[in-house]
Amino acid sequence: MDISREEAQEALGAIDDATKTSRALLRSWIVGVFVVGVIWTVSFAASQFLPETPLWSMSESFLVGIAFAIYWGRRRLIAIRVAPQSRLALLHARLAVFYGVLYLFFMLWQIVLLRTAMESALLWITVIMFAGIITGVWLKEPVLIGCGIAVTVLSTLGYWLIPNYFWLWVAVFAGLPLIGVSLYLWKRR
Amino acid sequence: MAVLNELIHQPARLRIMAVLAAISPERQATFGFLKATCELTDGNLGAHLRRLEEAGYVTIVKTFVRQKPQTYVAITDAGRAAFEEHRVALQAILDSA
């Protein structure tokens, strides 16, 4: 078949338009990372200057994460599903179990071991980063692995070396990297 | 040299194949999602999907979700290859002018 240059251009434009919706849906999880990054940045920074309320950032980011996961999951399921019995379905199931067990252990550690808001915050940050590293390994996303390691190291250094400015430190070195990673992942896809 | 595919080039089928090719091989799109994204009626979409299925470019899975019938569509390896060849052929027309 023969077509004109204009017809070819129109067809390629139609392909681009049609794929935009699919791609936006598949990468919509990145919005959750961005939102948590914003919450951490704002609330940790506020905690530096409002020390009487240091723990609300974790509660809020957890609630936002749960709410977003439910919203995103429902929106995805009515549009796209993972083929049953596929390798990807097995991987998603493993991730779900992993996140659930990790959160239960986090709650246990929180109740049994911790005494201060800073200890709780550092544990929360490192647990989330641990989950990010494992997710990056399973999904073969090096940027998640790198971000997870960097934020863990920097947050721990801030906890030990500059406790008086710990909240501001993690606002910059835990919150902002999440925002940066989410923007990078969004633009990349 | 990439060759244009007359079956895929039809505007509605081109949009359908583009949407399906954008999702990974292990994912399936719902009939409703394809209908909304490609702006087609039920009958129109069904007819185009049957043509694509006959050509071996898509697979159609009909099942039940919470007692409601649900149809899922996925692109096959042959369909993905045919769509990519068609896209390359379109680009070649632009590049050669």
Side-chain angles (χ1 to χ4, degrees):
Chain A
M1 69 184 283
D2 289 319
I3 62 172
S4 66
R5 190 172 188 276
E6 288 71 30
E7 284 174 311
Q9 188 142 32
E10 193 179 331
L12 285 170
I15 290 172
D16 275 344
D17 286 343
T19 55
K20 273 177 191 169
T21 305
S22 295
R23 289 193 184 131
L25 196 63
L26 288 172
R27 64 184 183 184
S28 59
W29 65 273
I30 299 170
V31 174
V33 177
F34 178 83
V35 171
V36 172
V38 169
I39 288 176
W40 279 14
T41 302
V42 170
S43 58
F44 285 148
S47 297
Q48 180 69 46
F49 305 106
L50 298 169
E52 65 275 13
T53 54
L55 294 180
W56 55 274
S57 63
M58 290 179 285
S59 304
E60 288 193 346
S61 66
F62 173 66
L63 287 173
V64 166
I66 291 290
F68 185 80
I70 292 171
Y71 165 76
W72 181 65
R74 287 174 61 85
R75 192 161 166 255
R76 278 278 301 268
L77 279 175
I78 63 174
I80 297 172
R81 76 166 185 178
V82 176
Q85 316 300 329
S86 65
R87 184 197 59 87
L88 192 60
L90 182 60
L91 184 59
H92 282 194
R94 283 178 179 166
L95 278 173
V97 170
F98 168 70
Y99 290 148
V101 171
L102 184 63
Y103 181 68
L104 288 176
F105 270 84
F106 167 72
M107 292 303 291
L108 180 65
W109 293 327
Q110 181 94 344
I111 293 166
V112 173
L113 300 175
L114 302 177
R115 296 175 184 82
T116 70
M118 271 176 52
E119 287 171 340
S120 189
L122 184 64
L123 179 66
W124 184 237
I125 292 168
T126 52
V127 163
I128 297 294
M129 291 304 112
F130 175 66
I133 291 168
I134 297 300
T135 304
V137 169
W138 280 348
L139 297 182
K140 297 183 175 63
E141 279 282 7
V143 70
L144 292 180
I145 299 170
C147 177
I149 293 171
V151 170
T152 298
V153 169
L154 289 170
S155 299
T156 308
L157 282 175
Y159 175 82
W160 287 112
L161 298 179
I162 48 167
N164 290 339
Y165 293 97
F166 171 75
W167 298 108
L168 195 57
W169 179 269
V170 292
V172 172
F173 291 109
L176 289 182
L178 288 186
I179 295 173
V181 162
S182 63
L183 291 174
Y184 167 78
L185 289 172
W186 185 267
K187 286 190 180 304
R188 187 189 68 178
R189 290 179 183 261
Chain B
M1 187 177 158
V3 176
L4 290 171
N5 186 308
E6 200 162 344
L7 179 70
I8 291 177
H9 190 65
Q10 196 280 337
R13 289 194 287 270
L14 185 68
R15 288 200 302 275
I16 293 168
M17 293 296 285
V19 169
L20 293 175
I23 61 179
S24 73
E26 291 174 298
R27 289 191 167 97
Q28 302 167 338
T30 62
F31 188 89
F33 174 66
L34 280 175
K35 189 176 103 172
T37 308
C38 300
E39 297 175 342
L40 298 168
T41 61
D42 284 2
N44 214 352
L45 177 58
H48 287 302
L49 287 178
R50 274 193 297 277
R51 290 288 306 276
L52 291 170
E53 189 183 32
E54 285 165 7
Y57 291 164
V58 303
T59 53
I60 300 172
V61 176
K62 297 188 180 186
T63 184
F64 285 87
V65 176
R66 297 193 197 101
Q67 283 84 47
K68 289 182 183 174
Q70 183 65 275
T71 300
Y72 295 97
V73 184
I75 193 170
T76 62
D77 290 342
R80 193 176 294 276
F83 174 76
E84 182 57 23
E85 184 178 356
H86 184 72
R87 194 192 61 76
V88 168
L90 288 171
Q91 189 63 48
I93 293 172
L94 287 188
D95 294 341
S96 65

